[in-house]
Amino acid sequence: MRAERTLRAERAGRGARDGSGARARGAGRTGGAGAVGRTALSAALLAALAPLTLGAAAPATVPAAAPPAVRPAVPAVVRPAVDRPIVFARYTAAAPVEDLYAVSPAGGVPAKLTHTPAVSDVMPSWSPDGKRVAFLRYGAGGAVDGIWTMKSTGGDLKAVPGTAGAAEPAWSPDGTRIAYSRPVGTQREIYLAHLDGSPATRLTHTAADEHRPTWSPDGAQLAYSRADASGNSRLMRLHLSTLAQTPITLAGSRDWTPDWSRGNRIAFSRVDSTGFAHLYVVRPDGSGIHRITSARAHDRYPSWSPDGRRLVFTRGGTDDADPEHLFLVRADGTALTQLTKTDSHDLEADWRP
């Protein structure tokens, strides 16, 4: 079995994992925001994808670690998932550099949001108002440009200052911050970028690799995966007010790509005793863990619907010749539906809030 790399940039040669497989591919590189274009969307998607402009931010620096202030709690809002689009990264054998796409959960032809034949755009994350998307851009040999944001319809690119080398962005529930991972020496740690231009904040200081942060509904905590040198990975929880870290799943697990729902459950991908990656759900305190999918397939990158009733995820990818498609499933494991069906690799979906 391949060792899956959690960072698309590192799939070009650096070696992070999500437990279920891997691929190594290079990409060319160009600079500037002009590489991203717009495309006409269906009427349903256009109704859901409205523009917003973020103010320019001053360059960020990384100060000595200090507990960041906790923002006021944002109440969980349950919204219908119908016609709230899903954004994801796609590449094909014919076009091996990733672009971002959006698709309705009802199906249909995905709309292409970025057009970057020489750089890869991956790991999208919706802003809480659904008007912008944060994502990672990387180029030749896996060199990471950093985190950018754009309008939900594509275009109006803005670099997030201080995020060179960063990956796995996750937009906060109050819209003011983006959590991400970035390398520190030979490890990866979790940081916060502040969109008001104040300096970035380092949150973790460990000898392990910290990956894929996801926010609690009130914005007071982050969950993420911690990978050790043996290749195992467990889910952790971090309190932003104190920086205290609490395990969610057991040591020796192979747990990756968590996503925290507004209903206060965490979905994740676990390589279990079957040798396949399946979707599981757990409460933030580690209780109530149960499996959602059980096919002889690799199921990864779960993302909750805004109402917390369904998940979108990637299935496939045992090797580069095996397509990876988006599927939908109810949180109880029923009503499995294939969403994308082309001969492509569809990854890292995020369902609009």
Side-chain angles (χ1 to χ4, degrees):
M1 179 185 298
R2 304 171 300 156
E4 172 66 316
R5 298 179 167 97
T6 58
L7 305 181
R8 301 294 294 170
E10 292 187 342
R11 288 173 187 142
R14 289 218 326 234
R17 300 171 300 277
D18 84 357
S20 61
R23 59 183 58 83
R25 298 182 301 105
R29 177 173 181 162
T30 60
V36 172
R38 300 184 62 157
T39 180
L41 302 179
S42 68
L45 283 179
L46 277 174
L49 303 177
L52 172 71
T53 302
L54 290 178
T61 58
V62 179
V70 176
R71 310 285 173 148
V74 177
V77 177
V78 177
R79 302 181 173 111
V82 177
D83 290 332
R84 290 189 175 269
I86 294 164
V87 67
F88 63 98
R90 167 179 284 182
Y91 75 92
T92 67
V97 176
E98 295 96 330
D99 276 303
L100 299 183
Y101 290 75
V103 66
S104 167
V109 178
K112 192 172 184 179
L113 302 181
T114 65
H115 304 259
T116 55
V119 296
S120 288
D121 295 333
V122 297
M123 299 179 179
S125 174
W126 286 102
S127 64
D129 59 10
K131 296 179 179 180
R132 291 190 74 85
V133 175
F135 63 97
L136 170 68
R137 167 165 287 184
Y138 74 93
V144 177
D145 281 349
I147 296 169
W148 297 70
T149 73
M150 68 176 181
K151 289 181 180 179
S152 58
T153 50
D156 188 32
L157 246 70
K158 297 181 183 297
V160 178
T163 60
E168 302 172 319
W171 216 312
S172 67
D174 64 6
T176 66
R177 298 159 291 169
I178 293 176
Y180 59 93
S181 69
R182 65 173 295 178
V184 179
T186 60
Q187 310 300 326
R188 297 195 73 87
E189 304 289 354
I190 304 297
Y191 282 75
L192 279 183
H194 305 278
L195 296 178
D196 63 2
S198 57
T201 305
R202 181 175 171 180
L203 301 180
T204 61
H205 298 72
T206 73
D209 279 317
E210 318 290 14
H211 287 288
R212 200 84 179 187
T214 179
W215 292 85
S216 64
D218 61 4
Q221 301 179 71
L222 292 169
Y224 54 95
S225 62
R226 170 173 291 172
D228 61 30
S230 69
N232 294 323
S233 176
R234 69 193 304 186
L235 301 188
M236 301 292 296
R237 183 163 46 97
L238 181 144
H239 296 260
L240 292 176
S241 61
T242 63
L243 301 188
Q245 300 170 43
T246 306
I248 300 173
T249 59
L250 298 175
S253 301
R254 299 168 71 187
D255 299 339
W256 305 90
T257 62
D259 191 59
W260 202 325
S261 79
R262 288 170 180 76
N264 212 31
R265 293 180 293 172
I266 298 172
F268 62 98
S269 179
R270 166 177 286 182
V271 181
D272 56 27
S273 59
T274 67
F276 291 97
H278 295 133
L279 299 190
Y280 283 72
V281 169
V282 66
R283 297 189 185 100
D285 64 3
S287 66
I289 189 167
H290 65 277
R291 188 169 68 178
I292 298 175
T293 64
S294 57
R296 294 181 61 81
H298 290 310
D299 296 339
R300 300 169 296 137
Y301 307 117
S303 175
W304 288 98
S305 64
D307 58 12
R309 297 176 181 176
R310 290 190 293 170
L311 291 154
V312 61
F313 65 97
T314 292
R315 171 169 287 182
T318 54
D319 56 47
D320 267 349
D322 181 14
E324 296 167 282
H325 298 126
L326 299 186
F327 282 74
L328 303 176
V329 68
R330 290 178 182 164
D332 62 3
T334 63
L336 180 70
T337 305
Q338 185 171 340
L339 184 60
T340 61
K341 300 178 182 180
T342 60
D343 189 13
S344 57
H345 295 266
D346 298 337
L347 306 163
E348 301 153 348
D350 193 38
W351 205 319
R352 177 180 164 174

